Amino acid sequence: MHAPTPMPADVNSTHPASNAHNKAFLRQLLSQRNQAPSNAAAIDTAIAQAFVRDVAILVLDMCGFSRITQSHGIIHFLAMIHQMEQAACPAITGNGGEVIKQEADNLFAVFSTPEQALDAALDTLRALDAMNAVLPPERVLNVSAGIGFGPTLVIANEDLFGAEMNCACKLGEDIAVAGEILLTSAAYAALPAGRYACASSRYQVSGLTLDSHRFERCLYNRPLGP
């Protein structure tokens, strides 16, 4: 009889809340998984318990990077990114969201529901419209948005991984144009019925077929956002 393979240290131990969702803990578990493949199932369960949750993902992408940097320089565009964050962050937190990371001209946030993510995107567009009304043409701010919903590996304040994260990125960064909000099928299906009008569409990108829904209008009198 062979002795059972010992479990990797700390897989079943209790971790402080401050460490339970950070990248160091994830790396520790992944290292254990690589060193003890026979315990992969148990380690996968530990990773899922610590990091995976159902979230709505909002990906905001600033438009016009190449054109603006070529004509006005990178510092000008960085200042515009900062101004975009000033519009988006209050809209995100005001709708119950959490900004996870900001990379270059992209901003990533998570919410409990797709409705919150959509409302945050709408409030961001509204805030940008107000800014653009008083900005000179060379500083006009435009963003596109992608929204996904489903099980996602969330590393607190650092990163996101998952199929819906990938689809939201494709929609928000590669497909949506300025002022457009595209939702994955899963995000659209989880919206409350009768509140939003969306048009369905299908795209081919990076070898994927993406069925999505383009936000068109609210079907109710939506109050002003934060």
Side-chain angles (χ1 to χ4, degrees):
M1 241 181 117
H2 295 289
T5 304
M7 288 294 294
D10 297 330
V11 167
N12 292 319
S13 63
T14 301
H15 292 264
S18 60
N19 297 327
H21 307 290
N22 66 25
K23 187 169 286 186
F25 182 38
L26 177 61
R27 285 174 174 165
Q28 174 188 346
L29 292 175
L30 292 174
S31 178
Q32 293 171 3
R33 191 184 194 279
N34 290 334
Q35 294 168 12
S38 61
N39 289 318
I43 297 170
D44 289 354
T45 297
I47 291 173
Q49 289 176 344
F51 294 98
V52 177
R53 51 191 171 113
D54 284 338
V55 293
I57 305 139
L58 172 63
V59 179
L60 293 174
D61 180 41
M62 272 191 69
C63 304
F65 173 80
S66 298
R67 173 180 54 81
I68 295 171
T69 52
Q70 185 175 27
S71 58
H72 296 285
I74 189 62
I75 295 176
H76 178 90
F77 192 76
L78 289 175
M80 292 179 66
I81 291 174
H82 177 69
Q83 200 160 19
M84 181 271 285
E85 293 172 358
Q86 290 180 313
C89 289
I92 289 167
T93 57
N95 284 287
E98 173 190 3
V99 176
I100 297 297
K101 65 176 181 175
Q102 188 263 322
E103 290 182 350
D105 61 341
N106 297 324
L107 190 147
F108 303 82
V110 296
F111 302 79
S112 297
T113 68
E115 183 180 19
Q116 292 173 312
L118 177 53
D119 283 344
L122 292 172
D123 287 337
T124 298
L125 293 176
R126 179 178 285 164
L128 291 178
D129 284 343
M131 288 183 175
N132 289 339
V134 296
L135 288 174
E138 68 273 11
R139 289 179 54 196
V140 167
L141 298 157
N142 292 298
V143 299
S144 54
I147 297 174
F149 178 62
T152 304
L153 194 154
V154 182
I155 306 173
N157 302 315
E158 292 191 71
D159 221 333
L160 298 162
F161 297 96
E164 284 292 302
M165 166 63 170
N166 183 52
C167 291
C169 288
K170 296 295 184 187
L171 292 175
E173 298 174 16
D174 299 338
I175 298 173
V177 299
E180 192 172 40
I181 303 170
L182 297 177
L183 299 93
T184 66
S185 293
Y188 173 75
L191 290 175
R195 290 175 67 83
Y196 306 98
C198 297
S200 60
S201 54
R202 175 171 288 181
Y203 301 97
Q204 297 287 334
V205 57
S206 300
L208 296 174
T209 300
L210 289 180
D211 290 316
S212 69
H213 298 265
R214 184 182 70 253
F215 170 82
E216 293 190 329
R217 67 187 188 280
C218 292
L219 300 176
Y220 66 102
N221 291 323
R222 186 171 178 272
L224 290 174

